[in-house]
Amino acid sequence: MEPPMEQSGGEQEPGAVRLLDLPWEDVLLPHVLTWVPLRQLLRLQRVSRAFRALVQLHLAGLRRFDAAQVGPQIPRAALARLLRDAEGLQELALAPCHEWLSDEDLVPVLARNPQLRSVALAGCGQLSRRTLGALAEGCPRLQRLSLAHCDWVDGLALRGLADRCPALEELDLTACRQLKDEAIVYLAQRRGASLRSLSLAVNANVGDTAVQELARNCPQLEHLDLTGCLRVGSNGVRTLAEYCPALRSLRVRHCHHVAEPSLSRLWNRGVDIDVEPPLHQALVLLQDMAGFAPFVNLQV
């Protein structure tokens, strides 16, 4: 609900209380502005200087900022105003800024927010190693990072991240096509103990060498996405089944060298795999052909 606006003219009615008369720190900031969408806050701060000051005070105390709440596209100047005073951010998502976001825009924000735990930069192709360097140096509590479709991410950039982010648990490297086995091996050896979720999807340079090293060094790994990793084969999958007891989901669609028998151990454990077991495929085919499926006890 959008807060009421201050009266624009005339005398105030006896006993009436204007919104801005309420205590800012004790009432307006924790109990009113926290429920106002960012898009509405931008409009609210245009009402008066007092409202502008109130909104800036609220923005300075933000813990979570998602640019998608402002709109599908956000101008550079608007982002700069919104994050100008923010120094306590724990979550930052900037995907709607992917067309123009640069190191010069982002690095100062990272430097002011060392408490960041989650950063989403999917598709931000104008960034460089400098941004990852700032993250690694200034945000030691980082747990979740999305770099999907960031073509600039290479082995050197990932190495710096692996060296300096001891709390890293979730990492999305989808379509980071410069990364090769060597970079993933280094990541596994340095940060494997804490990794719970990793996407290496759509990267033809990643093969069994990387997957086997991940398996041996990531005992807490729960989710692994290898979709479209054309060099991954059955050996890598078998190693995952042997060394990753916590694995809950595995994506291997379009991994043409992964044979169905290598997945059987994971299927038997109930791991969610995006390739259906052979028996299920046969039943579906039979149902399509005959219009019915026989009852089969799949627990046998």
Side-chain angles (χ1 to χ4, degrees):
M1 181 180 69
E2 187 170 343
M5 303 300 180
E6 60 182 340
Q7 297 178 8
S8 56
E11 296 183 358
Q12 183 175 339
E13 296 181 6
V17 177
R18 296 183 305 174
L19 179 66
L20 291 175
D21 291 335
L22 297 172
W24 287 19
E25 297 283 354
D26 297 330
V27 177
L28 293 182
L29 293 177
H31 300 295
V32 178
L33 265 65
T34 53
W35 298 100
V36 181
L38 282 172
R39 190 180 306 182
Q40 301 302 324
L41 287 177
L42 289 175
R43 298 176 181 175
L44 185 63
Q45 66 179 353
R46 302 191 192 111
V47 173
S48 68
R49 292 181 180 178
F51 272 108
R52 185 181 306 118
L54 176 63
V55 171
Q56 285 302 136
L57 188 61
H58 168 71
L59 293 174
L62 282 180
R63 294 293 178 266
R64 180 179 184 273
F65 181 86
D66 186 350
Q69 295 181 2
V70 180
Q73 295 181 335
I74 175 172
R76 176 180 272 114
L79 181 71
R81 287 197 304 271
L82 287 168
L83 297 180
R84 181 182 63 194
D85 300 318
E87 296 183 352
L89 288 173
Q90 295 181 5
E91 299 181 31
L92 180 64
L94 297 175
C97 311
H98 68 276
E99 292 184 354
W100 53 263
L101 189 69
S102 68
D103 295 334
E104 288 69 25
D105 300 310
L106 184 54
V107 169
V109 176
L110 300 177
R112 293 194 301 269
N113 293 275
Q115 307 299 321
L116 277 167
R117 290 177 169 82
S118 176
V119 177
L121 302 172
C124 295
Q126 306 301 316
L127 300 174
S128 75
R129 291 178 191 162
R130 183 184 168 199
T131 287
L132 278 193
L135 262 175
E137 289 286 348
C139 304
R141 298 185 181 182
L142 188 67
Q143 296 175 337
R144 297 179 297 277
L145 177 62
S146 174
L147 297 170
H149 301 280
C150 291
D151 292 335
W152 49 270
V153 177
D154 58 10
L156 186 59
L158 187 63
R159 179 179 289 257
L161 196 70
D163 283 337
R164 299 184 180 92
C165 294
L168 194 62
E169 295 181 357
E170 301 177 17
L171 183 58
D172 188 348
L173 299 172
T174 299
C176 294
R177 297 184 180 89
Q178 290 196 57
L179 296 176
K180 300 180 180 180
D181 279 350
E182 294 79 5
I184 307 305
V185 166
Y186 190 84
L187 173 69
Q189 293 172 345
R190 294 289 293 169
R191 291 294 157 243
S194 62
L195 274 181
R196 295 180 180 273
S197 178
L198 177 64
S199 175
L200 301 173
V202 200
N203 188 341
N205 294 317
V206 172
D208 280 347
T209 299
V211 174
Q212 290 175 316
E213 198 67 21
L214 284 168
R216 295 187 178 103
N217 289 275
C218 304
Q220 304 301 318
L221 191 64
E222 298 178 3
H223 307 283
L224 179 61
D225 191 344
L226 300 172
T227 303
C229 294
L230 303 179
R231 293 179 56 237
V232 171
S234 297
N235 289 336
V237 171
R238 278 192 287 264
T239 310
L240 286 171
E242 181 177 358
Y243 288 95
C244 294
L247 195 65
R248 295 168 52 192
S249 71
L250 176 65
R251 299 291 175 260
V252 289
R253 190 176 296 276
H254 305 303
C255 295
H256 304 301
H257 297 294
V258 174
E260 289 176 350
S262 67
L263 296 168
S264 60
R265 187 172 175 181
L266 295 172
W267 273 322
N268 292 337
R269 278 171 34 192
V271 175
D272 178 20
I273 305 176
D274 58 346
V275 177
E276 295 176 342
L279 179 57
H280 185 274
Q281 292 176 352
L283 290 175
V284 170
L285 181 60
L286 180 60
Q287 185 173 18
D288 289 342
M289 294 175 61
F292 69 93
F295 174 78
V296 177
N297 186 358
L298 296 179
Q299 302 302 317
V300 176

